[in-house]
C-alpha cells in the first residue's frame, strides 16, 4: 500500500511540506551587482576540482530567474521553501563594513514573493559558501570567523527576521569540515588530515552558538522565531551484529558523524566521549599534537541547548566494521577506526555514496528522539539522484519519496517522534558541488544547455505534489 492510499491522517495538520535549495547551487550571478567571491567561486574556477571543470557561475541563474523558481514552488503546492543566503552577496568582504544593498533587495523580493504566495521561507545562513575574504584569513580554522559569522547573522535577523521565522545557521558542518578540510574534495580544498577538520568543526559550533545567543537575546522577544543548524547523519548498523568489535565500531561511526555536532548542541555540551577518548589515545600513543580536538571553554557562550529544533539531512545508511589504523597515520578515519560499507541488498541510486534505505530514516529519527531529548525534528533534506541520460518519467524517484514518507509517518505514528516537516532535496536540478551538473536531484529538470535554463517538472515532481495534496486535504478534513 502506498502512502497515498492511506485514509488516516498521519501527519500533523501543520506539517511543513517543503523542498530545498542553496544559494551557490542555484543562483549564478557569481560576480553580479557587487557580489564578493566565495570559496566555491575560487574552488570551482580552479582546474580539476569539479567534474569537467564546471562551476556555479550561472547554475540555474536563480539570481535572475527567481520567478521561475516561484512557479515551480507553487506547482508543487509546497507549504515551505528552504533556501540559503549567499554571505558574500550580502557582505562582499564577509564583514558588515559594507552591506551590498542589491543583495538585500534580491532576498527581500524572494522572501516577500514566497509570503505573498503563502509559502513559508526557511532560511539557511551558511550553505558551504564562505566569503573568500574570510578564507584569506584562515576561514573556518580561524577563531575570528565566529565574530564575523555572528555579525552576519545579526544583520540577517535584523534585515529579514520580521518575515523569516525559521532559521538554520549552518548547513552540514560535518561535510564542510570533512570534505572541505580533511579530504579537500569541497571548498576550500584543504587537505590536512586529522587536524583541520576538527578545528573547522569547532569554530563552526562556536559560530553557530554565537548566532543562536544573539537571536535569543536580541530578536526572539519580538520576532518569535526558531533557530537551529542542519546536521547530516547516516543511519549505521554493524556489518556483523554478533561481532562486539563491529558493534563498537558502529557506535564510533555515529559518534564521529552525527554525534560530532549533535552531542555538543543537544546532548552534553561536549564532543562524544568515544570521540574524545579515541583521539586522545591516538595522540598519546603516536605523539600527535595534543590539542587536535579543541575544548569548549566556559568563558565562551555555551553551545549546549543552542537549537530550538533538530534539523536533519538524511540521505543514506551504512554498515560498519571495525578496522585498526596503521601506526603513524594521522587522519580522521584513523581516529575513527570504523569503516563504512554498503549492504549489497540496498539499491544504490545515482551517486555511489547514496544507498536507498528509507527505513534507515525511521530508525535514525527514533535514535534522535531517544538521544537528544525528544526534540521537534524537521527533515531539512532528503533526496534521490539521477545520473546519465535524463529520464523525465522518473517513477523510481517518485516511489522513493512515497517509501520514505511512509517511513516518516511510521516514525510519527508508531514511534512517537515529533517530526514537524519534510524538505525534498531539491526543488530543481542544480550544481551538485564536485559532481557539477552530472548529478541531478531535482523535482524539476533544468535544461542547462538552454539559455533560458528551462525548468520542467519530472514525474517525481507530480508524485510529490500528489503526496502533499492528499495529506494536506486529509488534514484539513480532520481539523
Ligand atoms: C548535501 N557526501 O551535501 C548538501 O546539503 C546539498 O547541498 C547537496 O546538494 C546534497 O546533500 C546532495 O549531495 C552532501 O559526499 C554532499 O556524502 C556530499 C555528501 C553528502 C551530502
Amino acid at each position: 500500500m502506498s502512502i497515498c492510499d492511506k485514509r488516516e491522517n498521519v501527519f500533523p495538520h501543520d506539517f511543513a511540506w517543503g523542498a530545498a535549495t542553496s544559494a551557490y547551487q542555484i543562483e549564478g550571478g557569481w560576480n553580479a551587482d557587487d557580489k564578493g567571491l566565495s570559496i566555491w567561486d575560487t574552488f570551482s574556477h580552479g582546474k580539476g576540482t569539479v567534474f569537467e571543470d564546471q562551476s556555479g557561475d550561472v547554475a540555474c541563474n536563480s539570481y535572475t530567474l527567481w520567478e521561475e523558481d516561484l512557479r515551480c514552488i507553487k506547482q508543487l503546492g509546497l507549504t515551505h521553501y528552504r533556501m540559503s543566503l549567499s554571505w558574500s552577496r550580502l557582505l562582499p568582504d564577509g564583514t558588515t563594513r559594507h552591506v551590498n544593498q542589491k543583495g538585500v533587495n534580491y532576498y527581500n523580493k524572494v522572501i516577500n514573493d514566497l509570503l505573498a504566495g503563502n509559502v513559508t521561507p526557511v532560511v539557511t545562513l551558511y550553505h558551504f559558501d564562505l566569503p573568500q575574504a574570510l578564507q584569506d584569513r584562515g576561514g573556518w580554522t580561524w577563531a575570528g570567523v565566529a565574530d564575523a559569522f555572528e555579525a552576519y547573522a545579526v544583520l540577517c535577523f535584523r534585515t529579514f527576521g520580521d518575515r523569516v521565522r525559521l532559521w538554520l545557521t549552518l548547513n552540514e558542518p560535518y561535510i564542510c569540515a570533512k570534505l572541505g578540510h580533511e579530504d579537500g574534495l569541497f571548498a576550500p580544498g584543504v587537505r590536512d588530515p586529522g587536524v583541520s577538520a576538527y578545528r573547522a568543526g569547532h569554530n563552526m559550533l562556536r559560530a553557530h552558538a554565537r548566532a543562536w545567543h544573539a537571536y535569543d537575546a536580541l530578536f526572539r522577544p519580538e520576532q518569535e522565531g526558531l533557530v537551529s543548524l542542519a546536521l547530516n547523519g547516516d543511519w549505521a548498523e554493524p556489518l556483523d551484529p554478533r561481532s562486539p568489535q563491529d558493534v563498537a565500531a558502529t557506535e564510533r561511526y555515529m559518534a564521529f558523524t552525527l554525534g560530532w555536532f549533535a552531542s555538543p548542541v543537544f546532548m552534553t555540551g561536549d564532543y562524544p566521549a568515544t570521540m574524545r577518548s579515541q583521539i586522545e589515545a591516538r595522540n598519546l600513543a603516536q605523539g600527535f599534537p595534543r590539542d587536535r580536538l579543541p575544548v569548549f571553554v566556559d568563558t565562551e557562550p555555551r553551545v549546549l541547548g543552542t537549537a530550538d529544533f533538530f534539523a536533519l539531512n538524511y540521505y543514506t545508511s551504512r554498515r560498519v566494521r571495525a578496522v585498526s589504523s596503521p601506526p603513524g597515520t594521522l587522519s580522521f578515519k584513523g581516529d575513527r577506526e570504523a569503516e563504512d560499507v554498503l549492504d549489497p541488498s540496498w539499491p544504490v541510486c545515482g551517486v555511489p555514496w547514496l544507498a536507498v534505505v528509507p527505513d534507515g530514516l525511521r530508525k535514525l529519527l527514533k535514535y534522535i528522539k531517544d538521544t537528544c531529548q525528544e526534540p521537534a525534528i524537521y527533515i531539512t533534506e532528503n533526496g534521490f539522484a539521477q545520473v546519465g541520460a535524463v529520464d523525465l518519467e522518473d517513477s523510481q524517484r517518485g516511489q522513493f519519496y512515497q517509501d520514505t514518507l511512509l517511513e516518516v509517518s511510521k516514525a510519527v505514528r508508531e514511534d512517537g517522534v515529533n517530526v514537524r516537516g519534510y524538505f525534498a532535496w531539491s526543488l530543481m536540478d542544480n550544481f551538485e558541488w564536485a559532481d557539477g551538473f552530472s548529478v541531478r536531484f531535482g523535482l524539476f529538470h533544468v535544461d542547462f544547455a538552454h539559455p533560458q535554463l528551462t525548468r520542467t517538472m519530472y514525474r517525481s515532481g507530480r508524485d510529490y505534489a500528489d503526496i502533499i495534496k492528499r495529506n494536506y486535504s486529509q488534514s484539513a478534513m480532520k481539523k
Side-chain angles (χ1 to χ4, degrees):
M1 181 166 58
S2 88
I3 195 165
C4 295
D5 305 325
K6 286 227 167 294
R7 283 290 118 220
E8 71 228 83
N9 166 26
V10 292
F11 293 100
H13 71 90
D14 55 353
F15 194 79
W17 292 98
T21 60
S22 89
Y24 185 75
Q25 294 180 274
I26 66 164
E27 283 179 6
W30 70 283
N31 62 356
D33 293 344
D34 302 325
K35 176 182 165 293
L37 294 186
S38 85
I39 55 174
W40 268 94
D41 293 314
T42 312
F43 187 73
S44 66
H45 292 163
K47 290 283 160 242
T49 54
V50 174
F51 175 80
E52 291 185 349
D53 286 340
Q54 294 169 346
S55 78
D57 286 2
V58 179
C60 309
N61 201 8
S62 294
Y63 188 60
T64 307
L65 300 174
W66 151 247
E67 284 170 8
E68 296 303 311
D69 300 353
L70 183 62
R71 272 231 287 265
C72 299
I73 291 166
K74 288 195 173 154
Q75 248 181 287
L76 289 169
L78 303 181
T79 64
H80 288 62
Y81 177 58
R82 176 179 173 226
M83 54 184 270
S84 85
L85 307 179
S86 161
W87 186 343
S88 67
R89 193 181 295 291
L90 289 165
L91 306 178
D93 75 356
T95 77
T96 46
R97 230 187 337 251
H98 169 57
V99 180
N100 177 16
Q101 190 55 43
K102 287 170 182 160
V104 172
N105 296 348
Y106 172 65
Y107 293 118
N108 269 334
K109 172 156 176 58
V110 170
I111 291 164
N112 291 342
D113 286 354
L114 286 169
L115 292 172
N118 224 353
V119 179
T120 304
V122 178
V123 175
T124 309
L125 295 177
Y126 179 76
H127 199 123
F128 300 167
D129 50 352
L130 192 75
Q132 181 60 41
L134 299 181
Q135 186 61 41
D136 296 342
R137 295 157 86 170
W140 287 111
T141 62
W142 167 53
V145 73
D147 302 300
F149 185 75
E150 181 181 352
Y152 163 58
V154 165
L155 171 92
C156 295
F157 297 148
R158 179 171 297 135
T159 310
F160 308 114
D162 57 331
R163 289 151 293 155
V164 175
R165 295 290 140 90
L166 285 169
W167 293 97
L168 296 162
T169 55
L170 308 175
N171 181 67
E172 301 189 350
Y174 172 87
I175 293 289
C176 178
K178 169 112 181 350
L179 275 69
H181 298 80
E182 170 93 11
D183 311 327
L185 297 171
F186 276 21
V190 172
R191 260 202 110 244
D192 179 27
V195 177
S196 281
Y198 299 127
R199 223 160 264 172
H202 195 70
N203 287 324
M204 284 190 271
L205 284 164
R206 292 177 54 243
H208 158 78
R210 295 271 292 269
W212 184 90
H213 283 290
Y215 188 85
D216 201 47
L218 305 175
F219 300 97
R220 192 194 301 281
E222 197 168 320
Q223 298 180 354
E224 299 181 324
L226 302 173
V227 181
S228 185
L229 77 176
L231 302 183
N232 61 296
D234 300 342
W235 176 246
E237 286 179 17
L239 184 63
D240 175 1
R242 286 155 310 179
S243 151
Q245 287 81 10
D246 287 4
V247 171
T250 305
E251 199 195 308
R252 288 198 298 278
Y253 182 85
M254 292 300 283
F256 273 78
T257 51
L258 187 66
W260 182 357
F261 297 94
S263 174
V265 176
F266 292 95
M267 302 180 193
T268 66
D270 193 11
Y271 298 113
T274 28
M275 191 171 174
R276 272 218 179 278
S277 62
Q278 278 288 120
I279 295 171
E280 271 159 27
R282 297 213 337 127
N283 290 347
L284 227 68
Q286 312 215 24
F288 296 144
R290 295 203 124 171
D291 58 352
R292 285 196 300 136
L293 188 63
V295 292
F296 295 99
V297 290
D298 47 19
T299 47
E300 290 219 13
R302 77 183 150 75
V303 174
L304 184 64
T306 57
D308 304 317
F309 58 93
F310 199 108
L312 173 71
N313 293 356
Y314 172 81
Y315 284 92
T316 192
S317 291
R318 287 289 183 261
R319 296 254 178 233
V320 177
R321 68 164 169 238
V323 288
S324 47
S325 46
T329 45
L330 181 56
S331 73
F332 176 80
K333 285 206 165 155
D335 293 331
R336 186 167 81 188
E337 298 191 287
E339 185 180 51
D340 55 304
V341 294
L342 290 179
D343 184 312
S345 73
W346 294 336
V348 170
C349 101
V351 274
W353 57 268
L354 210 171
V356 179
V357 196
D359 68 338
L361 175 55
R362 177 181 175 186
K363 293 173 187 169
L364 187 58
L365 289 168
K366 175 77 164 59
Y367 174 86
I368 292 168
K369 177 193 174 193
D370 293 344
T371 57
C372 297
Q373 299 161 50
E374 310 206 7
I377 305 176
Y378 284 86
I379 298 156
T380 39
E381 280 181 37
N382 174 250
F384 183 104
Q386 195 179 109
V387 285
V390 168
D391 181 8
L392 284 174
E393 285 298 311
D394 58 342
S395 48
Q396 257 195 315
R397 178 152 46 193
Q399 190 62 48
F400 163 84
Y401 281 118
Q402 294 212 4
D403 295 345
T404 302
L405 282 157
L406 184 58
E407 294 299 327
V408 175
S409 76
K410 286 187 205 158
V412 172
R413 192 184 44 209
E414 291 173 35
D415 306 334
V417 184
N418 184 11
V419 187
R420 311 288 315 152
Y422 176 89
F423 293 76
W425 183 271
S426 175
L427 176 66
M428 60 191 160
D429 294 340
N430 56 49
F431 178 79
E432 178 49 31
W433 308 115
D435 289 322
F437 300 100
S438 68
V439 173
R440 296 173 178 271
F441 272 97
L443 292 164
F444 280 77
H445 172 263
V446 177
D447 184 353
F448 294 105
H450 194 281
Q452 288 307 311
L453 296 155
T454 318
R455 286 95 159 119
T456 310
M457 202 188 238
Y458 284 108
R459 178 181 169 156
S460 60
R462 296 203 299 276
D463 292 340
Y464 187 49
D466 210 43
I467 295 174
I468 296 175
K469 206 152 107 204
R470 281 166 187 267
N471 281 287
Y472 214 57
S473 48
Q474 277 177 40
S475 65
M477 278 173 357
K478 273 218 158 182
K479 220 175 0 168

